[in-house]
Amino acid sequence: MIRAFDAFSLPVLRWLDPEDAHRLAIQGLRFLPPVKPRPEDPKLAVRAFGLNFPNPIGMAAGFDKNAEVPDALLRLGFGFVEIGSVTPKPQAGNPRPRLFRLERDEAVINRMGFNNDGAEAALRRLAARAEHGGIVGVNVGANKDSPDRVADYVKLIETFAPVASYFTVNVSSPNTPGLRNLQEGALLDDLLGRVIDARERVRESAGDTPVLLKIAPDLSLAQLDDVVQVARSRRVDGMIVSNTTIARPSTLREEMRAKEQGGLSGRPLFRLSTRMVAETYVRVEGAFPLIGVGGVDSGGAALTKIRAGASLIQLYSSLVYKGLGLVDEIKRDLTSTLLRTGRDALSEIVGADAATLTAEDWPGM
């Protein structure tokens, strides 16, 4: 069924404006007939953040911003889904056009600006599917015009704790002015302190919800030192490495599209984001697991990200070019690798190449 869906949808969607194509894809998934997911290979199971993931492949935030299709995605083989980014109040985001395909580079540039239906709508949808099971994380962000952005994050933690499998504190989007400043030492310390306090306040009624921090790939290593130090001292449960980059590699072939403002994702981000996974992994020293995201478009790329230090991975932009069949392809490749090397679990290879990667020349952007 997935192959049939890809064969029909990919050519159609590529003819449309990228944002219209995204909306049509969401609608298509909403009306996808219920299917029983294939049994998962037990070797691909991952335990991280106190949660049991059936496989390590997640849908990254940005695709299902408003929690419209998490169950359809889980049925299609994702091990987990991250909805959002959600802000307390609905907001329209930046003016269109704000989403661009770089076809020859298998990349995407977006400057969406946290467009979403707001917390109330997402909460209603997640509450309605609460008995369905599966791991559905909530990526939280601040409204652009908020007088107190940290208070926005706190409010969202308190609001979504009963229905979120985990939270991602997103301070890494380049498309909300000033948001990335929250990655800086004292500001980040204050934010995470208040977020963790909020989680603890609702723990008795909502349970223990892991809190993850999502960072940009454009941090300097000195800034990364500070971020990891704060994350460890505030005892976050994990980090997601990384969001989109504002850099533009000299190798991009879609030169005119590359001039568009916004965050670049997809294949050109792979080397930088993977290096940042390795750099983060060696600094974390096993204190918590990482989710690697950025340019994963094959089983080999997924394996590289895991060996760099990621316990889990996420996809989004690669699906624009490869389709949903990519999920099963990656799982088959990972299973094959484990069988070929005589290993029983992916955890045995997490971070195996991290030290080597951090000794290499910095990836050119």
Side-chain angles (χ1 to χ4, degrees):
M1 189 193 72
I2 294 174
R3 284 196 298 269
F5 184 82
D6 284 344
F8 170 75
S9 64
L10 285 177
V12 173
L13 296 176
R14 296 276 280 279
W15 276 103
L16 299 175
D17 166 84
E19 193 164 347
D20 293 338
H22 175 260
R23 188 66 237 161
L24 185 59
I26 293 287
Q27 293 295 345
L29 289 169
R30 287 181 64 186
F31 296 107
L32 200 66
V35 293
K36 188 176 181 180
R38 294 179 183 177
E40 297 283 3
D41 189 320
K43 287 178 179 285
L44 295 184
V46 176
R47 180 162 177 80
F49 327 120
L51 301 172
N52 294 315
F53 296 79
N55 73 68
I57 305 168
M59 174 62 90
F63 179 79
D64 190 9
K65 291 177 177 291
N66 298 305
E68 295 176 87
V69 292
D71 291 302
L73 293 168
L74 291 170
R75 290 195 300 269
L76 288 170
F78 285 95
F80 62 109
V81 173
E82 188 170 311
I83 68 102
S85 294
V86 180
T87 56
K89 296 184 295 184
Q91 64 180 25
N94 294 321
R96 294 181 66 168
R98 54 193 180 179
L99 185 62
F100 309 89
R101 300 187 198 99
L102 283 67
E103 298 268 357
R104 291 185 294 168
D105 300 296
E106 294 193 15
V108 172
I109 290 174
N110 93 83
R111 51 172 180 265
M112 304 298 287
F114 283 174
N115 58 305
N116 73 105
D117 294 344
E120 184 179 340
L123 178 64
R124 185 172 63 249
R125 294 175 184 132
L126 290 177
R129 55 89 47 204
E131 302 302 319
H132 292 188
I135 296 176
V136 179
V138 178
N139 184 298
V140 294
N143 281 113
K144 181 179 180 179
D145 60 357
S146 174
D148 185 348
R149 287 180 170 174
V150 174
D152 280 10
Y153 289 95
V154 169
K155 180 178 181 179
L156 291 167
I157 298 294
E158 295 171 341
T159 299
F160 283 97
V163 296
S165 300
Y166 68 87
F167 286 109
T168 297
V169 177
N170 186 0
V171 291
S172 54
S173 171
N175 301 315
T176 297
L179 188 79
R180 285 189 170 189
N181 293 341
L182 290 174
Q183 295 175 119
E184 297 173 2
L187 294 176
L188 181 63
D189 186 60
D190 177 60
L191 169 64
L192 291 181
R194 289 173 62 181
V195 162
I196 296 297
D197 285 348
R199 191 267 304 274
E200 295 305 306
R201 282 198 300 274
V202 297
R203 182 195 291 268
E204 186 172 339
S205 59
D208 189 7
T209 312
V211 171
L212 281 58
L213 173 68
K214 187 169 186 176
I215 63 170
D218 304 313
L219 296 171
S220 69
L221 293 183
Q223 289 172 319
L224 182 62
D225 289 338
D226 291 342
V227 166
V228 171
Q229 188 274 326
V230 171
R232 292 181 63 172
S233 68
R234 287 298 182 179
R235 298 185 180 277
V236 302
D237 298 282
M239 288 175 60
I240 301 182
V241 186
S242 64
N243 209 321
T244 58
T245 179
I246 57 174
R248 296 293 185 266
S250 60
T251 55
L252 291 176
R253 291 183 286 177
E254 299 275 5
E255 295 181 11
M256 294 305 296
R257 282 281 164 83
K259 295 177 181 177
E260 294 288 351
Q261 289 187 327
L264 174 73
S265 59
R267 179 173 285 183
L269 178 57
F270 179 73
R271 292 186 64 219
L272 175 62
S273 61
T274 303
R275 177 62 177 266
M276 289 298 285
V277 168
E279 296 285 355
T280 306
Y281 180 83
V282 299
R283 286 162 172 76
V284 167
E285 298 177 310
F288 46 71
L290 307 178
I291 298 179
V293 56
V296 177
D297 60 3
S298 66
L303 183 64
T304 300
K305 198 78 79 174
I306 291 167
R307 292 182 66 88
S311 294
L312 303 160
I313 60 169
Q314 289 179 323
L315 314 176
Y316 181 4
S317 297
S318 58
L319 300 172
V320 173
Y321 300 101
K322 300 292 183 69
L324 288 165
L326 178 61
V327 177
D328 278 342
E329 176 190 323
I330 292 175
K331 288 194 285 188
R332 285 194 302 268
D333 285 352
L334 292 178
T335 299
S336 175
T337 297
L338 291 175
L339 288 172
R340 188 175 64 253
T341 58
R343 301 181 189 278
D344 294 323
L346 289 169
S347 59
E348 297 178 32
I349 57 173
V350 170
D353 295 338
T356 302
L357 287 171
T358 59
E360 293 179 355
D361 291 339
W362 195 259
M365 291 294 287

